[in-house]
Amino acid sequence: MESPVVVITGASSGIGEATARLLAGQGARLVLGARRADRLDALAAELGGEVRTRATDVRRRDDVAALVDLAVSTFGRLDVFVANAGVAHVGGLDTQTVEDWDEMIDVNLRGVLHGVAAALPVFRAQSAGHLVAIVSTSGLRIVPDQVVYAATKNAVRTLCEGLRQEAGPHLRVTAVSPGFTATEFVDTVADPARRREYQERMAEIAMPPDAIARAVAYAMAQPAGVDVGEIVVRPTAQN
Ligand code: NDP
C-alpha cells in the first residue's frame, strides 16, 4: 500500500505508540488519538513527517468521529483504523466495582464501536479499508481476576468476525491478540501488591510493544485481496 493513512487510538504510550513509530518509519501518514495530548504532540514532533494528533476520549463518539474527520480532511482518505485504546481493571467479580466494569466496557468495546461507526462510511465510500483491533490473549485463555476485561476483548473479537462478514469484499478486518507486553498497562492496577506482582512478572517475561506493532504492519502489508483475520503474539515464556 502506497503511504497509507492510518488512525491509531491510544497512541500516547505502549503498543499504540510503538505502532505509530513503526508505521511512520515505513512512510505512513498518521492521525494519533488519546487523552494525553501532550504525549501525542511530543511523539508527533519526534516523528516529524505527516503526523497529526487530536485529544481523544474513545468513550465519546464525537471525539472518535473527529479523529476520522481529521484524517480525511488532512490526507483525503483513511486506509486503516487501529482500535488500540484499552483499559484493564484486575480483580475478582465479587470485589470489582460496577464502575470498573463500565469503564472497561466503555473504552474496550464501546470505544471500538465508535471507531467502526466513524470509519465504516469512509471505507464504504472508498470501497476499501482495514480495521485492526488490538484484543488480547486474555480472551483466549480466561484467567481469574481478568474476567470482565477478557469479556470485553472477546466481544471485540466477535465484532471483528461479524464486521468482516457484513461489510463484504472491500473491508479487511484484523484482530491482533497480544500476550504480556511491556507497556504502562500494569501500572494502572489499583491494588499495590497486585501491581507489584504484575510488574515483576512483566520484567521477567514481557515482550516489547514493537512485537505487536510488527504484527499490525504485517496485516497491513498484505495485498488488498489478502485479509489476515487473527494474529496471536505471546512471549515465548507465557503459558
Ligand atoms: P498502555 O497503558 O501503554 O496504553 C493504553 C493506551 O490506551 C494509552 O495510549 C491510553 O492513552 C489509551 N486510552 C486509555 N483509555 C482511553 C480513552 N478513554 N480514550 C482514549 N484513549 C485511551 O497499554 P498497552 O499499550 O499495553 O495497551 C494497548 C492495548 O493493548 C489495549 O487495548 C490493551 O487492552 C491491549 N493489550 C495489552 C497487553 C499488555 O500486556 N500490555 C496484553 C493484551 C492486550 P491516554 O491515557 O493518553 O488516553
Side-chain angles (χ1 to χ4, degrees), residues 43-132:
L43 177 62
E46 189 192 326
L47 295 177
E50 300 195 274
V51 183
R52 300 290 182 277
T53 65
R54 191 180 194 285
T56 304
D57 186 332
V58 297
R59 293 172 293 187
R60 298 190 188 155
R61 181 183 173 182
D62 290 351
D63 276 14
V64 183
L67 203 58
V68 168
D69 286 348
L70 180 60
V72 175
S73 62
T74 308
F75 300 119
R77 57 183 294 110
L78 171 67
D79 295 299
V80 187
F81 186 98
V82 182
N84 165 73
V87 292
H89 293 290
V90 174
L93 290 166
D94 55 347
T95 60
Q96 288 192 315
T97 65
V98 172
E99 287 73 24
D100 290 340
W101 298 342
D102 283 346
E103 193 190 3
M104 288 187 278
I105 293 166
D106 286 347
V107 176
N108 300 355
L109 176 57
R110 209 183 301 276
V112 178
L113 282 167
H114 291 159
V116 171
L120 212 50
V122 181
F123 291 158
R124 206 172 276 131
Q126 296 172 168
S127 296
H130 192 171
L131 181 99
V132 178

Side-chain angles (χ1 to χ4, degrees), residues 10 12-13 15 35-36 57-58 84 135 149 153 178 181 183 185:
S12 57
S13 61
I15 291 167
R35 292 165 304 174
R36 290 171 293 175
D57 186 332
V58 297
N84 165 73
V135 289
Y149 173 70
K153 292 299 188 177
T181 310
T183 67
F185 210 50

Side-chain angles (χ1 to χ4, degrees), residues 182-238:
T183 67
E184 297 170 20
F185 210 50
V186 295
D187 300 341
T188 60
V189 173
D191 177 61
R194 297 301 305 276
R195 185 165 62 242
R196 245 189 334 275
E197 209 177 285
Y198 273 97
Q199 285 168 335
E200 282 167 14
R201 185 81 178 126
M202 181 164 275
E204 262 173 50
I205 70 159
M207 58 193 168
D210 188 49
I212 307 307
R214 285 196 301 275
V216 174
Y218 169 81
M220 282 174 52
Q222 301 310 304
V226 177
D227 180 15
V228 179
E230 289 218 40
I231 304 180
V232 181
V233 186
R234 294 185 183 87
T236 312
Q238 181 175 333

Side-chain angles (χ1 to χ4, degrees), residues 134-178:
I134 307 301
V135 289
S136 176
T137 56
S138 300
L140 299 173
R141 182 178 184 276
I142 313 298
V143 293
D145 288 354
Q146 295 179 23
V147 174
V148 177
Y149 173 70
T152 63
K153 292 299 188 177
N154 273 347
V156 173
R157 183 175 286 110
T158 300
L159 173 68
C160 286
E161 173 57 13
L163 179 62
R164 185 187 73 78
Q165 293 188 34
E166 275 192 11
H170 66 274
L171 185 71
R172 302 197 292 176
V173 185
T174 305
V176 178
S177 289

